[in-house]
Amino acid sequence: MAPDYFPAVQLLARLAEQEFDIEASKALFIKLTLTEDGSEPAALALADIAVRQGDMGGALAQLQAALNKYPESIGVRLRHLRLLIAQGRLVEAESAAETVYEMAPEMPNVLLLKADVDFRTGDTRAAQATAAQLQGLMDQYKGNPAMLATVGALQLRLGNLTLARTNLELAVAGPRPPNLALVTMARLELAEGDTRAAQRRLDQLVGRGVDSEELHLLQGDVLVASKRTEDAVAHFKQLAEQGSRAGTSRYALALSRQGDHQQAQKILADWLRQYPDDRGMRVLLANAQIQAGNEDSAKAEYEAMLPTDNPVVLNNLALIYLA
């Protein structure tokens, strides 16, 4: 095998990882970064190794170096953007999303990530506009259940249930729909109040042997919908302790539903000390403060997010001003 042929090096590196020789795996890719043809995929592979080792700072450094070397690469920019989102570095993610959107304004993966960043930063109007742009491309993807499921998931987050169902029904219609399609359809069924249908989707996923964060989040959401509050709290607490952002937010919400607003505030404040520009979590913190009667603290949190189009922020801030 040619020493500078990426698939060959990738295979050798995987074998080294299976033997728990991470350094040998990294050395193979580092050598490949010095070649002309293999440098970009090797840099991405080194970032992936860092992620698997839990070294998010190292992964980000690898991607930043790749971005400096290949500023026109959409693939590198998307990988960099995904990692920024995963780390809750939303100010940087917002800038990165705008840059890649200007480079590829009709690429579905670019639009999906831009809408995700817009939603997380509270710009719901921009997120809705991007989702509408994506929907306009869906005629080209009617035979692509993975893309249909991904767009359906975005529409569900934005509250566009009718469009979400249109895309998800197409996504689950095949003989073996993607796991994401089943998870998202179950979420839609929960939003529509059909807990039994969602449980059937969940059972189908468990029967496939799926073991993912999305599955565990869905299990917790089904517990909530089934009124098994204490079980849901314990389930989300476990996910939060594993570092899951979605698990942390759900844990805080479950605590608030139980009336434990102080603990909910502590969980969210701890998260924000680590990820201070995570506006979605900051909204949850301010909401928890209102529920606990700490309106001055909530007001300060909401005002820190201005200007924004987020209706929750604007409505709750207006109510505080009028009180």
Side-chain angles (χ1 to χ4, degrees), residues 168-214:
L168 291 170
E169 285 179 347
L170 288 171
V172 301
R176 186 173 174 82
N179 293 338
L180 176 61
L182 295 174
V183 168
T184 310
M185 182 59 92
R187 294 203 174 287
L188 176 60
E189 289 160 344
L190 284 178
E192 294 173 339
D194 194 345
T195 306
R196 289 184 180 180
Q199 182 66 59
R200 287 194 294 272
R201 304 276 184 196
L202 178 57
D203 293 342
Q204 186 177 355
L205 287 158
V206 171
R208 287 185 175 186
V210 175
D211 182 19
S212 65
E213 182 185 30
E214 277 300 315

mmCIF file of all heavy atoms in Angstrom, residues 168-214:
data_model
loop_
_atom_site.group_PDB
_atom_site.id
_atom_site.type_symbol
_atom_site.label_atom_id
_atom_site.label_comp_id
_atom_site.label_asym_id
_atom_site.label_seq_id
_atom_site.Cartn_x
_atom_site.Cartn_y
_atom_site.Cartn_z
ATOM 1 N N LEU A 168 -40.904 13.567 7.882
ATOM 2 C CA LEU A 168 -40.633 12.361 8.665
ATOM 3 C C LEU A 168 -41.419 11.157 8.159
ATOM 4 O O LEU A 168 -40.921 10.025 8.194
ATOM 5 C CB LEU A 168 -40.931 12.617 10.139
ATOM 6 C CG LEU A 168 -39.954 13.577 10.827
ATOM 7 C CD1 LEU A 168 -40.453 13.966 12.206
ATOM 8 C CD2 LEU A 168 -38.560 12.957 10.920
ATOM 9 N N GLU A 169 -42.635 11.383 7.680
ATOM 10 C CA GLU A 169 -43.396 10.263 7.123
ATOM 11 C C GLU A 169 -42.697 9.675 5.901
ATOM 12 O O GLU A 169 -42.696 8.457 5.694
ATOM 13 C CB GLU A 169 -44.814 10.714 6.779
ATOM 14 C CG GLU A 169 -45.706 10.876 8.014
ATOM 15 C CD GLU A 169 -47.101 11.350 7.682
ATOM 16 O OE1 GLU A 169 -47.322 11.793 6.527
ATOM 17 O OE2 GLU A 169 -47.976 11.291 8.569
ATOM 18 N N LEU A 170 -42.087 10.532 5.100
ATOM 19 C CA LEU A 170 -41.295 10.041 3.973
ATOM 20 C C LEU A 170 -40.052 9.310 4.468
ATOM 21 O O LEU A 170 -39.654 8.283 3.909
ATOM 22 C CB LEU A 170 -40.881 11.206 3.070
ATOM 23 C CG LEU A 170 -41.988 11.858 2.225
ATOM 24 C CD1 LEU A 170 -41.464 13.129 1.559
ATOM 25 C CD2 LEU A 170 -42.508 10.887 1.172
ATOM 26 N N ALA A 171 -39.440 9.816 5.539
ATOM 27 C CA ALA A 171 -38.197 9.239 6.047
ATOM 28 C C ALA A 171 -38.398 7.849 6.641
ATOM 29 O O ALA A 171 -37.505 6.995 6.556
ATOM 30 C CB ALA A 171 -37.580 10.169 7.094
ATOM 31 N N VAL A 172 -39.563 7.589 7.259
ATOM 32 C CA VAL A 172 -39.788 6.292 7.911
ATOM 33 C C VAL A 172 -40.522 5.306 7.005
ATOM 34 O O VAL A 172 -40.820 4.180 7.418
ATOM 35 C CB VAL A 172 -40.579 6.450 9.233
ATOM 36 C CG1 VAL A 172 -39.838 7.347 10.202
ATOM 37 C CG2 VAL A 172 -41.996 6.975 8.981
ATOM 38 N N ALA A 173 -40.798 5.713 5.760
ATOM 39 C CA ALA A 173 -41.628 4.881 4.886
ATOM 40 C C ALA A 173 -40.882 3.678 4.324
ATOM 41 O O ALA A 173 -41.502 2.703 3.907
ATOM 42 C CB ALA A 173 -42.178 5.735 3.743
ATOM 43 N N GLY A 174 -39.563 3.704 4.323
ATOM 44 C CA GLY A 174 -38.794 2.617 3.719
ATOM 45 C C GLY A 174 -38.749 1.377 4.586
ATOM 46 O O GLY A 174 -39.225 1.359 5.723
ATOM 47 N N PRO A 175 -38.138 0.298 4.062
ATOM 48 C CA PRO A 175 -38.081 -0.970 4.809
ATOM 49 C C PRO A 175 -37.227 -0.898 6.073
ATOM 50 O O PRO A 175 -37.492 -1.602 7.035
ATOM 51 C CB PRO A 175 -37.490 -1.953 3.793
ATOM 52 C CG PRO A 175 -36.771 -1.093 2.794
ATOM 53 C CD PRO A 175 -37.549 0.177 2.729
ATOM 54 N N ARG A 176 -36.194 -0.071 6.074
ATOM 55 C CA ARG A 176 -35.362 0.087 7.274
ATOM 56 C C ARG A 176 -34.999 1.562 7.423
ATOM 57 O O ARG A 176 -33.920 2.001 7.017
ATOM 58 C CB ARG A 176 -34.102 -0.770 7.202
ATOM 59 C CG ARG A 176 -33.287 -0.727 8.502
ATOM 60 C CD ARG A 176 -32.137 -1.705 8.515
ATOM 61 N NE ARG A 176 -31.313 -1.534 9.696
ATOM 62 C CZ ARG A 176 -31.594 -2.045 10.889
ATOM 63 N NH1 ARG A 176 -32.691 -2.748 11.061
ATOM 64 N NH2 ARG A 176 -30.768 -1.849 11.909
ATOM 65 N N PRO A 177 -35.887 2.346 8.010
ATOM 66 C CA PRO A 177 -35.626 3.786 8.146
ATOM 67 C C PRO A 177 -34.436 4.051 9.065
ATOM 68 O O PRO A 177 -34.142 3.254 9.959
ATOM 69 C CB PRO A 177 -36.923 4.324 8.763
ATOM 70 C CG PRO A 177 -37.571 3.151 9.393
ATOM 71 C CD PRO A 177 -37.182 1.962 8.575
ATOM 72 N N PRO A 178 -33.744 5.164 8.850
ATOM 73 C CA PRO A 178 -32.609 5.506 9.719
ATOM 74 C C PRO A 178 -33.057 5.677 11.175
ATOM 75 O O PRO A 178 -34.205 6.045 11.452
ATOM 76 C CB PRO A 178 -32.102 6.840 9.146
ATOM 77 C CG PRO A 178 -32.712 6.956 7.795
ATOM 78 C CD PRO A 178 -33.975 6.185 7.818
ATOM 79 N N ASN A 179 -32.129 5.433 12.081
ATOM 80 C CA ASN A 179 -32.439 5.602 13.506
ATOM 81 C C ASN A 179 -32.918 7.021 13.805
ATOM 82 O O ASN A 179 -33.839 7.218 14.604
ATOM 83 C CB ASN A 179 -31.202 5.286 14.355
ATOM 84 C CG ASN A 179 -30.822 3.827 14.296
ATOM 85 O OD1 ASN A 179 -31.644 2.959 13.977
ATOM 86 N ND2 ASN A 179 -29.574 3.522 14.596
ATOM 87 N N LEU A 180 -32.277 8.003 13.167
ATOM 88 C CA LEU A 180 -32.671 9.394 13.414
ATOM 89 C C LEU A 180 -34.126 9.618 13.027
ATOM 90 O O LEU A 180 -34.849 10.360 13.715
ATOM 91 C CB LEU A 180 -31.769 10.354 12.628
ATOM 92 C CG LEU A 180 -32.143 11.840 12.717
ATOM 93 C CD1 LEU A 180 -32.075 12.335 14.154
ATOM 94 C CD2 LEU A 180 -31.240 12.680 11.813
ATOM 95 N N ALA A 181 -34.580 8.984 11.950
ATOM 96 C CA ALA A 181 -35.975 9.148 11.531
ATOM 97 C C ALA A 181 -36.925 8.592 12.586
ATOM 98 O O ALA A 181 -37.954 9.204 12.905
ATOM 99 C CB ALA A 181 -36.199 8.451 10.195
ATOM 100 N N LEU A 182 -36.589 7.442 13.164
ATOM 101 C CA LEU A 182 -37.436 6.834 14.195
ATOM 102 C C LEU A 182 -37.442 7.679 15.466
ATOM 103 O O LEU A 182 -38.488 7.896 16.085
ATOM 104 C CB LEU A 182 -36.956 5.417 14.498
ATOM 105 C CG LEU A 182 -37.084 4.403 13.352
ATOM 106 C CD1 LEU A 182 -36.446 3.080 13.747
ATOM 107 C CD2 LEU A 182 -38.542 4.198 12.984
ATOM 108 N N VAL A 183 -36.254 8.162 15.865
ATOM 109 C CA VAL A 183 -36.164 8.997 17.067
ATOM 110 C C VAL A 183 -36.984 10.266 16.895
ATOM 111 O O VAL A 183 -37.758 10.657 17.783
ATOM 112 C CB VAL A 183 -34.687 9.352 17.368
ATOM 113 C CG1 VAL A 183 -34.605 10.457 18.421
ATOM 114 C CG2 VAL A 183 -33.929 8.129 17.852
ATOM 115 N N THR A 184 -36.830 10.915 15.735
ATOM 116 C CA THR A 184 -37.510 12.199 15.531
ATOM 117 C C THR A 184 -39.010 12.009 15.377
ATOM 118 O O THR A 184 -39.801 12.828 15.866
ATOM 119 C CB THR A 184 -36.927 12.923 14.305
ATOM 120 O OG1 THR A 184 -35.498 12.943 14.401
ATOM 121 C CG2 THR A 184 -37.427 14.355 14.244
ATOM 122 N N MET A 185 -39.432 10.932 14.719
ATOM 123 C CA MET A 185 -40.865 10.665 14.626
ATOM 124 C C MET A 185 -41.447 10.408 16.015
ATOM 125 O O MET A 185 -42.565 10.862 16.326
ATOM 126 C CB MET A 185 -41.126 9.473 13.708
ATOM 127 C CG MET A 185 -42.608 9.162 13.533
ATOM 128 S SD MET A 185 -43.568 10.540 12.831
ATOM 129 C CE MET A 185 -43.471 10.148 11.089
ATOM 130 N N ALA A 186 -40.691 9.706 16.866
ATOM 131 C CA ALA A 186 -41.150 9.494 18.247
ATOM 132 C C ALA A 186 -41.293 10.822 18.979
ATOM 133 O O ALA A 186 -42.254 11.037 19.733
ATOM 134 C CB ALA A 186 -40.174 8.582 18.988
ATOM 135 N N ARG A 187 -40.371 11.740 18.742
ATOM 136 C CA ARG A 187 -40.454 13.060 19.385
ATOM 137 C C ARG A 187 -41.683 13.828 18.883
ATOM 138 O O ARG A 187 -42.359 14.514 19.656
ATOM 139 C CB ARG A 187 -39.197 13.875 19.090
ATOM 140 C CG ARG A 187 -37.952 13.304 19.707
ATOM 141 C CD ARG A 187 -36.888 14.369 19.890
ATOM 142 N NE ARG A 187 -35.765 13.813 20.615
ATOM 143 C CZ ARG A 187 -35.771 13.536 21.891
ATOM 144 N NH1 ARG A 187 -36.846 13.778 22.607
ATOM 145 N NH2 ARG A 187 -34.712 13.024 22.490
ATOM 146 N N LEU A 188 -41.952 13.718 17.583
ATOM 147 C CA LEU A 188 -43.136 14.361 17.030
ATOM 148 C C LEU A 188 -44.401 13.778 17.660
ATOM 149 O O LEU A 188 -45.333 14.513 18.013
ATOM 150 C CB LEU A 188 -43.159 14.190 15.513
ATOM 151 C CG LEU A 188 -44.394 14.742 14.786
ATOM 152 C CD1 LEU A 188 -44.545 16.242 15.011
ATOM 153 C CD2 LEU A 188 -44.307 14.436 13.291
ATOM 154 N N GLU A 189 -44.429 12.468 17.822
ATOM 155 C CA GLU A 189 -45.588 11.813 18.431
ATOM 156 C C GLU A 189 -45.755 12.242 19.888
ATOM 157 O O GLU A 189 -46.886 12.432 20.359
ATOM 158 C CB GLU A 189 -45.444 10.300 18.294
ATOM 159 C CG GLU A 189 -45.640 9.839 16.849
ATOM 160 C CD GLU A 189 -45.064 8.482 16.538
ATOM 161 O OE1 GLU A 189 -44.236 7.976 17.333
ATOM 162 O OE2 GLU A 189 -45.418 7.911 15.482
ATOM 163 N N LEU A 190 -44.651 12.441 20.587
ATOM 164 C CA LEU A 190 -44.741 12.976 21.950
ATOM 165 C C LEU A 190 -45.324 14.388 21.935
ATOM 166 O O LEU A 190 -46.167 14.733 22.766
ATOM 167 C CB LEU A 190 -43.359 12.998 22.614
ATOM 168 C CG LEU A 190 -42.791 11.658 23.101
ATOM 169 C CD1 LEU A 190 -41.394 11.875 23.685
ATOM 170 C CD2 LEU A 190 -43.698 11.010 24.135
ATOM 171 N N ALA A 191 -44.854 15.208 20.982
ATOM 172 C CA ALA A 191 -45.361 16.585 20.879
ATOM 173 C C ALA A 191 -46.853 16.599 20.562
ATOM 174 O O ALA A 191 -47.582 17.515 20.972
ATOM 175 C CB ALA A 191 -44.593 17.350 19.801
ATOM 176 N N GLU A 192 -47.319 15.575 19.851
ATOM 177 C CA GLU A 192 -48.736 15.475 19.503
ATOM 178 C C GLU A 192 -49.550 14.761 20.582
ATOM 179 O O GLU A 192 -50.762 14.591 20.432
ATOM 180 C CB GLU A 192 -48.880 14.740 18.170
ATOM 181 C CG GLU A 192 -48.297 15.531 16.989
ATOM 182 C CD GLU A 192 -48.275 14.736 15.692
ATOM 183 O OE1 GLU A 192 -48.321 13.489 15.758
ATOM 184 O OE2 GLU A 192 -48.196 15.357 14.616
ATOM 185 N N GLY A 193 -48.873 14.310 21.665
ATOM 186 C CA GLY A 193 -49.567 13.671 22.780
ATOM 187 C C GLY A 193 -49.779 12.182 22.634
ATOM 188 O O GLY A 193 -50.509 11.580 23.436
ATOM 189 N N ASP A 194 -49.150 11.550 21.647
ATOM 190 C CA ASP A 194 -49.328 10.112 21.424
ATOM 191 C C ASP A 194 -48.158 9.354 22.054
ATOM 192 O O ASP A 194 -47.234 8.908 21.363
ATOM 193 C CB ASP A 194 -49.425 9.828 19.923
ATOM 194 C CG ASP A 194 -49.953 8.425 19.633
ATOM 195 O OD1 ASP A 194 -49.973 7.593 20.554
ATOM 196 O OD2 ASP A 194 -50.341 8.176 18.475
ATOM 197 N N THR A 195 -48.209 9.186 23.378
ATOM 198 C CA THR A 195 -47.100 8.558 24.104
ATOM 199 C C THR A 195 -46.929 7.100 23.708
ATOM 200 O O THR A 195 -45.796 6.599 23.625
ATOM 201 C CB THR A 195 -47.339 8.666 25.620
ATOM 202 O OG1 THR A 195 -47.552 10.042 25.950
ATOM 203 C CG2 THR A 195 -46.147 8.147 26.403
ATOM 204 N N ARG A 196 -48.022 6.400 23.468
ATOM 205 C CA ARG A 196 -47.924 4.975 23.105
ATOM 206 C C ARG A 196 -47.197 4.784 21.785
ATOM 207 O O ARG A 196 -46.361 3.876 21.650
ATOM 208 C CB ARG A 196 -49.323 4.364 23.032
ATOM 209 C CG ARG A 196 -49.993 4.194 24.391
ATOM 210 C CD ARG A 196 -51.332 3.487 24.251
ATOM 211 N NE ARG A 196 -51.968 3.314 25.543
ATOM 212 C CZ ARG A 196 -53.146 2.730 25.714
ATOM 213 N NH1 ARG A 196 -53.817 2.278 24.654
ATOM 214 N NH2 ARG A 196 -53.667 2.605 26.929
ATOM 215 N N ALA A 197 -47.506 5.624 20.807
ATOM 216 C CA ALA A 197 -46.815 5.521 19.519
ATOM 217 C C ALA A 197 -45.324 5.797 19.688
ATOM 218 O O ALA A 197 -44.482 5.115 19.096
ATOM 219 C CB ALA A 197 -47.426 6.495 18.513
ATOM 220 N N ALA A 198 -44.987 6.800 20.516
ATOM 221 C CA ALA A 198 -43.578 7.112 20.769
ATOM 222 C C ALA A 198 -42.880 5.938 21.451
ATOM 223 O O ALA A 198 -41.727 5.616 21.135
ATOM 224 C CB ALA A 198 -43.483 8.366 21.628
ATOM 225 N N GLN A 199 -43.577 5.282 22.378
ATOM 226 C CA GLN A 199 -42.986 4.126 23.061
ATOM 227 C C GLN A 199 -42.725 2.989 22.075
ATOM 228 O O GLN A 199 -41.705 2.299 22.165
ATOM 229 C CB GLN A 199 -43.922 3.644 24.178
ATOM 230 C CG GLN A 199 -43.383 2.468 24.980
ATOM 231 C CD GLN A 199 -42.140 2.812 25.782
ATOM 232 O OE1 GLN A 199 -42.164 3.697 26.622
ATOM 233 N NE2 GLN A 199 -41.048 2.104 25.518
ATOM 234 N N ARG A 200 -43.627 2.808 21.108
ATOM 235 C CA ARG A 200 -43.407 1.763 20.098
ATOM 236 C C ARG A 200 -42.161 2.060 19.264
ATOM 237 O O ARG A 200 -41.378 1.161 18.944
ATOM 238 C CB ARG A 200 -44.635 1.632 19.192
ATOM 239 C CG ARG A 200 -45.837 0.959 19.869
ATOM 240 C CD ARG A 200 -46.887 0.541 18.852
ATOM 241 N NE ARG A 200 -47.502 1.679 18.186
ATOM 242 C CZ ARG A 200 -48.578 2.326 18.649
ATOM 243 N NH1 ARG A 200 -49.144 1.944 19.789
ATOM 244 N NH2 ARG A 200 -49.099 3.342 17.971
ATOM 245 N N ARG A 201 -41.963 3.324 18.908
ATOM 246 C CA ARG A 201 -40.740 3.697 18.172
ATOM 247 C C ARG A 201 -39.506 3.423 19.039
ATOM 248 O O ARG A 201 -38.487 2.914 18.552
ATOM 249 C CB ARG A 201 -40.768 5.176 17.801
ATOM 250 C CG ARG A 201 -41.971 5.634 17.014
ATOM 251 C CD ARG A 201 -41.846 5.400 15.546
ATOM 252 N NE ARG A 201 -43.019 5.955 14.874
ATOM 253 C CZ ARG A 201 -43.374 5.665 13.631
ATOM 254 N NH1 ARG A 201 -42.649 4.835 12.919
ATOM 255 N NH2 ARG A 201 -44.459 6.200 13.093
ATOM 256 N N LEU A 202 -39.607 3.774 20.304
ATOM 257 C CA LEU A 202 -38.493 3.553 21.228
ATOM 258 C C LEU A 202 -38.168 2.069 21.331
ATOM 259 O O LEU A 202 -36.995 1.668 21.286
ATOM 260 C CB LEU A 202 -38.845 4.135 22.602
ATOM 261 C CG LEU A 202 -37.822 3.969 23.719
ATOM 262 C CD1 LEU A 202 -36.480 4.564 23.332
ATOM 263 C CD2 LEU A 202 -38.338 4.628 25.000
ATOM 264 N N ASP A 203 -39.195 1.237 21.460
ATOM 265 C CA ASP A 203 -38.979 -0.208 21.528
ATOM 266 C C ASP A 203 -38.310 -0.728 20.257
ATOM 267 O O ASP A 203 -37.460 -1.626 20.304
ATOM 268 C CB ASP A 203 -40.308 -0.930 21.746
ATOM 269 C CG ASP A 203 -40.927 -0.640 23.116
ATOM 270 O OD1 ASP A 203 -40.192 -0.182 24.011
ATOM 271 O OD2 ASP A 203 -42.143 -0.852 23.273
ATOM 272 N N GLN A 204 -38.697 -0.155 19.116
ATOM 273 C CA GLN A 204 -38.095 -0.557 17.844
ATOM 274 C C GLN A 204 -36.604 -0.236 17.823
ATOM 275 O O GLN A 204 -35.782 -1.045 17.373
ATOM 276 C CB GLN A 204 -38.815 0.149 16.693
ATOM 277 C CG GLN A 204 -38.389 -0.299 15.301
ATOM 278 C CD GLN A 204 -39.200 0.384 14.205
ATOM 279 O OE1 GLN A 204 -40.156 1.130 14.464
ATOM 280 N NE2 GLN A 204 -38.819 0.152 12.944
ATOM 281 N N LEU A 205 -36.238 0.936 18.341
ATOM 282 C CA LEU A 205 -34.833 1.330 18.387
ATOM 283 C C LEU A 205 -34.035 0.447 19.339
ATOM 284 O O LEU A 205 -32.917 0.024 19.027
ATOM 285 C CB LEU A 205 -34.727 2.799 18.814
ATOM 286 C CG LEU A 205 -35.156 3.819 17.756
ATOM 287 C CD1 LEU A 205 -35.522 5.147 18.412
ATOM 288 C CD2 LEU A 205 -34.044 4.020 16.739
ATOM 289 N N VAL A 206 -34.609 0.162 20.509
ATOM 290 C CA VAL A 206 -33.932 -0.712 21.471
ATOM 291 C C VAL A 206 -33.742 -2.098 20.859
ATOM 292 O O VAL A 206 -32.693 -2.733 21.027
ATOM 293 C CB VAL A 206 -34.735 -0.791 22.784
ATOM 294 C CG1 VAL A 206 -34.153 -1.856 23.709
ATOM 295 C CG2 VAL A 206 -34.738 0.560 23.485
ATOM 296 N N GLY A 207 -34.753 -2.568 20.120
ATOM 297 C CA GLY A 207 -34.652 -3.862 19.450
ATOM 298 C C GLY A 207 -33.541 -3.908 18.417
ATOM 299 O O GLY A 207 -32.996 -4.983 18.127
ATOM 300 N N ARG A 208 -33.186 -2.764 17.877
ATOM 301 C CA ARG A 208 -32.066 -2.690 16.926
ATOM 302 C C ARG A 208 -30.712 -2.683 17.625
ATOM 303 O O ARG A 208 -29.674 -2.738 16.979
ATOM 304 C CB ARG A 208 -32.168 -1.423 16.082
ATOM 305 C CG ARG A 208 -33.256 -1.423 15.041
ATOM 306 C CD ARG A 208 -33.161 -0.148 14.196
ATOM 307 N NE ARG A 208 -34.109 -0.137 13.091
ATOM 308 C CZ ARG A 208 -34.153 0.801 12.152
ATOM 309 N NH1 ARG A 208 -33.271 1.802 12.183
ATOM 310 N NH2 ARG A 208 -35.041 0.751 11.177
ATOM 311 N N GLY A 209 -30.729 -2.568 18.941
ATOM 312 C CA GLY A 209 -29.470 -2.488 19.680
ATOM 313 C C GLY A 209 -28.875 -1.099 19.716
ATOM 314 O O GLY A 209 -27.682 -0.937 19.992
ATOM 315 N N VAL A 210 -29.685 -0.074 19.459
ATOM 316 C CA VAL A 210 -29.191 1.301 19.453
ATOM 317 C C VAL A 210 -28.821 1.713 20.879
ATOM 318 O O VAL A 210 -29.565 1.457 21.835
ATOM 319 C CB VAL A 210 -30.253 2.265 18.889
ATOM 320 C CG1 VAL A 210 -29.788 3.713 18.985
ATOM 321 C CG2 VAL A 210 -30.575 1.900 17.436
ATOM 322 N N ASP A 211 -27.662 2.332 21.024
ATOM 323 C CA ASP A 211 -27.210 2.843 22.325
ATOM 324 C C ASP A 211 -26.539 4.187 22.073
ATOM 325 O O ASP A 211 -25.342 4.263 21.846
ATOM 326 C CB ASP A 211 -26.240 1.867 22.988
ATOM 327 C CG ASP A 211 -25.777 2.336 24.360
ATOM 328 O OD1 ASP A 211 -26.454 3.203 24.952
ATOM 329 O OD2 ASP A 211 -24.725 1.861 24.838
ATOM 330 N N SER A 212 -27.327 5.255 22.093
ATOM 331 C CA SER A 212 -26.811 6.574 21.753
ATOM 332 C C SER A 212 -27.394 7.609 22.708
ATOM 333 O O SER A 212 -28.372 7.340 23.424
ATOM 334 C CB SER A 212 -27.184 6.947 20.311
ATOM 335 O OG SER A 212 -28.598 7.080 20.194
ATOM 336 N N GLU A 213 -26.802 8.803 22.688
ATOM 337 C CA GLU A 213 -27.329 9.879 23.521
ATOM 338 C C GLU A 213 -28.768 10.203 23.126
ATOM 339 O O GLU A 213 -29.628 10.410 23.994
ATOM 340 C CB GLU A 213 -26.467 11.136 23.401
ATOM 341 C CG GLU A 213 -26.967 12.275 24.293
ATOM 342 C CD GLU A 213 -26.207 13.570 24.092
ATOM 343 O OE1 GLU A 213 -25.727 13.819 22.974
ATOM 344 O OE2 GLU A 213 -26.099 14.333 25.068
ATOM 345 N N GLU A 214 -29.046 10.232 21.822
ATOM 346 C CA GLU A 214 -30.401 10.541 21.368
ATOM 347 C C GLU A 214 -31.408 9.537 21.904
ATOM 348 O O GLU A 214 -32.522 9.905 22.298
ATOM 349 C CB GLU A 214 -30.452 10.574 19.837
ATOM 350 C CG GLU A 214 -30.003 11.881 19.227
ATOM 351 C CD GLU A 214 -30.865 13.053 19.691
ATOM 352 O OE1 GLU A 214 -32.106 12.921 19.711
ATOM 353 O OE2 GLU A 214 -30.291 14.090 20.033
#
